[in-house]
Amino acid sequence: MFRVGMGYDVHRLVVDRELIIGGIKIPYEKGLLGHSDADVLLHAIMDALLGAVAAGDIGKHFPDSDVKWRGADSGRLLARVREIVEERGYQVNNVDGTIVAQKPKMAPYIPAMREKVATILGIEAEQVNIKATTTEGLGFTGTGEGIAAYAVVTVAKRMV
């Protein structure tokens, strides 16, 4: 049996923060503001996976009111979400993510992001697709105020 999940996340761009997307540090004059490292792509993937197995969302599992998640590495959080998926009897089948950002250009970093996500989820890089788009200067992403990400995943019931 297959199940599908969809995730979305957005964070504001600010100075004096590192820009981490897909688990990869990207050189840029601004970074994403958030309680953790604010990795929008990994957050969208986590919400998609949790949704696919009806396990709530990242706010339920990693609330921003809990200081232990302050500055947390989202790769660590994604690894925990993978455990939740497996505890519910599923395995990750594929991930399709979209980063929405006017700047910086994401293309040079996408292969490393795919590898990073695949490694954390224990799947092959061929099971992970990541792409990026702009909004042609429109909206908060187009004006450089923030970056958003969408993710769709499928999970399959593990065979015993």
Side-chain angles (χ1 to χ4, degrees), residues 11-20 26 28-39 70-72:
H11 285 279
R12 179 182 309 275
L13 280 165
V14 296
V15 295
D16 296 326
R17 287 276 297 202
E18 289 185 320
L19 180 60
I20 301 170
I26 299 171
Y28 191 56
E29 65 211 30
K30 295 179 180 178
L32 294 169
L33 181 63
H35 188 68
S36 67
D37 63 10
D39 186 327
R70 181 170 292 133

Side-chain angles (χ1 to χ4, degrees), residues 57-135:
D57 61 20
I58 60 174
K60 174 183 173 184
H61 296 274
F62 315 108
D64 63 7
S65 58
D66 190 335
V67 294
K68 77 177 175 183
W69 305 121
R70 181 170 292 133
D73 174 349
S74 292
R76 253 189 51 232
L77 305 182
L78 180 58
R80 175 62 189 128
V81 168
R82 173 191 172 187
E83 291 173 355
I84 293 167
V85 168
E86 291 172 350
E87 288 164 5
R88 290 183 174 239
Y90 289 87
Q91 63 189 25
V92 179
N93 188 48
N94 82 301
V95 174
D96 185 21
T98 303
I99 304 160
V100 184
Q102 200 68 35
K103 289 180 183 176
K105 292 291 184 194
M106 297 291 153
Y109 307 101
I110 288 177
M113 290 178 195
R114 289 180 66 211
E115 287 291 336
K116 182 78 164 187
V117 170
T119 299
I120 294 168
L121 294 178
I123 59 178
E124 299 298 319
E126 293 75 28
Q127 293 171 270
V128 177
N129 187 60
I130 298 172
K131 52 205 174 295
T133 190
T134 69
T135 56

